[in-house]
Amino acid sequence: MPAPSAPAGSTPLRELFERLLVSATPASRVLLAVWASTPFFVIVLLAHGWALSSDEVRAGLNAGPMWALQALLLACVALNLTLAWRLWPRRGRRERVPRSAMLVCLSIGVGYTALTILSGTFTTCASVILVGVLAIGLLIFPMSTMFVAYLVCTGLIVGHDVGVLLGLWAYAPALGPQAFVSDQPTWWLAAWREYVFYAGYVVLLYLLLLLFSRLDDMHASLIQLSHTDELTGLANRRRFMQAVQAELVRQGRSGQPMCVALLDADHFKRVNDRFGHHAGDEVLRTLGAVMLGSVRTPTDVAARLGGEEFALLLPDTRLEDARRVCERLRSTLAAQRFRAEGQNYRVTVSIGLVESRGQDADAILAAADRQLYQAKTEGRNRVCCMVSMWGGA
């Protein structure tokens, strides 16, 4: 199934994310994670490089932990870009890539966790963003993959805190005493904290909004699927009954006529028995297409109730007009030629039609069913109709 197009007014960035999310292949999800995290890590690397080259800033830093962090972030970026290069040709395939997904999750999680630990786990906003990174990961990657990444990141933070309590290392190993003036962070530390928070916040917020937008689209699609017959694309029984009930309420206010028709493919079992279910499905799909071509959309409702039983709801339509619609539908199907196993055959349809004036849904359908039975009894391939009112026919 092709991916739906992006909505009008979408930016190229949004369209890229839409394609990656809608395609929903394992490789594309890894690519999305790499694309979202790499710019952040690259900017941090550049900022730290500048800090280590500035005499003023370097005086407030511990060079050893900072260079170790630089090496770790560089390794994470290199690993992610290498995986992205390998996965790009496979982005459209449905094959699983568990090792690549695990490596990307660990590299992003460990890189951000190290950044959080070295700057002070509980006194910077990085820890908040780290929780958000893990939450977003749950929406992109399998639970098992994120569970491992969560355990590793949590283990690093807990291990660091235990070491701090035991006096083995400093609370914020990358920061020295000169990073603060009168217990307040220097301008460069404050600016760094703001960047880490807002850069992470913007990326997370964008991804969250996009993912929830996709969830809304998926919810709408699920509603559509719950109202649609998979084989024919027509409304299903549930949707048809909802439409009938809604139209009865509207009819009660407007007083306009409403017609309901029940259709049944004649001798359909013979088609299945002789040519197989594939041929039968083709007949049903064709009947559904003929029905859609014979009604007004979206005013009228064409539905498959089950098996070879179909229905039409024709609001604001009198019996004679509805009969013309049904006759056109019947004659179109009767002229249709089917072919299976080297043989040509035709299929006809019997239709029971009623115009309702004040009855409830069950009574309307019962009346239409009686007319359908009459059409079958009289020889099939015909339309039988009546006006149905309270108190009788």
Side-chain angles (χ1 to χ4, degrees), residues 47-66 118 173-179 188-189 192:
H48 287 182
W50 170 82
L52 289 168
S53 66
S54 169
D55 293 337
E56 177 189 0
V57 178
R58 189 172 63 249
L61 300 174
N62 292 323
M66 285 295 298
L118 292 180
L175 302 179
Q178 296 185 43
W188 53 265
L189 180 57
W192 180 89

Side-chain angles (χ1 to χ4, degrees), residues 46-335:
L46 295 175
H48 287 182
W50 170 82
L52 289 168
S53 66
S54 169
D55 293 337
E56 177 189 0
V57 178
R58 189 172 63 249
L61 300 174
N62 292 323
M66 285 295 298
W67 283 116
L69 178 61
Q70 288 289 84
L72 176 62
L73 294 180
L74 187 61
C76 291
V77 170
L79 174 62
N80 288 350
L81 292 179
T82 301
L83 290 172
W85 175 73
R86 292 182 57 189
L87 291 177
W88 182 257
R90 301 158 62 183
R91 64 191 181 277
R93 303 176 191 172
R94 292 288 173 180
E95 63 187 41
R96 298 179 61 191
V97 288
R99 182 176 301 177
S100 297
M102 181 65 72
L103 288 174
V104 165
C105 287
L106 287 175
S107 68
I108 295 173
V110 169
Y112 211 103
T113 300
L115 189 63
T116 302
I117 289 174
L118 292 180
S119 59
T121 307
F122 301 107
T123 53
T124 67
C125 300
S127 57
V128 177
I129 302 300
L130 179 60
V131 174
V133 168
L134 294 172
I136 289 292
L138 289 172
L139 298 176
I140 300 177
F141 295 108
M143 175 70 76
S144 58
T145 301
M146 288 309 303
F147 182 71
V148 173
Y150 176 79
L151 285 182
V152 171
C153 295
T154 303
L156 290 173
I157 293 174
V158 172
H160 171 71
D161 290 342
V162 171
V164 172
L165 293 175
L166 295 176
L168 300 178
W169 44 67
Y171 166 70
L175 302 179
Q178 296 185 43
F180 299 87
V181 178
S182 300
D183 295 330
Q184 296 298 318
T186 57
W187 68 267
W188 53 265
L189 180 57
W192 180 89
R193 287 179 173 179
E194 292 295 315
Y195 164 73
V196 170
F197 174 73
Y198 285 110
Y201 178 80
V202 168
V203 172
L204 288 176
L205 181 62
Y206 188 87
L207 286 175
L208 278 173
L209 291 176
L210 189 59
L211 287 168
F212 278 116
S213 173
R214 293 305 311 160
L215 287 176
D216 288 341
D217 293 342
M218 290 173 63
H219 182 255
S221 297
L222 288 174
I223 292 177
Q224 178 67 24
L225 288 173
S226 71
H227 288 165
T228 304
D229 175 67
E230 182 178 2
L231 178 63
T232 63
L234 302 179
N236 59 16
R237 177 183 289 272
R238 175 191 297 179
R239 175 70 185 99
F240 180 76
M241 295 306 298
Q242 290 176 349
V244 170
Q245 295 290 355
E247 189 56 36
L248 286 174
V249 173
R250 197 180 72 85
Q251 184 190 40
R253 295 194 302 265
S254 67
Q256 293 297 315
M258 177 186 78
C259 288
V260 172
L262 294 182
L263 302 80
D264 189 89
D266 298 326
H267 301 300
F268 181 73
K269 187 176 183 300
R270 295 181 185 176
V271 175
N272 275 337
D273 292 343
R274 184 174 181 181
F275 301 110
H277 290 284
H278 178 75
D281 289 347
E282 181 61 28
V283 169
L284 297 179
R285 282 193 291 267
T286 301
L287 175 53
V290 171
M291 291 175 66
L292 285 176
S294 302
V295 300
R296 305 163 297 177
T297 55
T299 306
D300 303 337
V301 177
R304 181 189 178 201
L305 303 184
E308 66 271 27
E309 300 175 357
F310 293 77
L312 282 177
L313 171 63
L314 305 172
D316 300 332
T317 306
R318 296 192 178 278
L319 188 64
E320 284 306 311
D321 295 329
R323 184 185 182 105
R324 282 193 289 271
V325 171
C326 292
E327 286 288 359
R328 182 170 64 249
L329 188 160
R330 182 198 62 78
S331 60
T332 300
L333 183 66

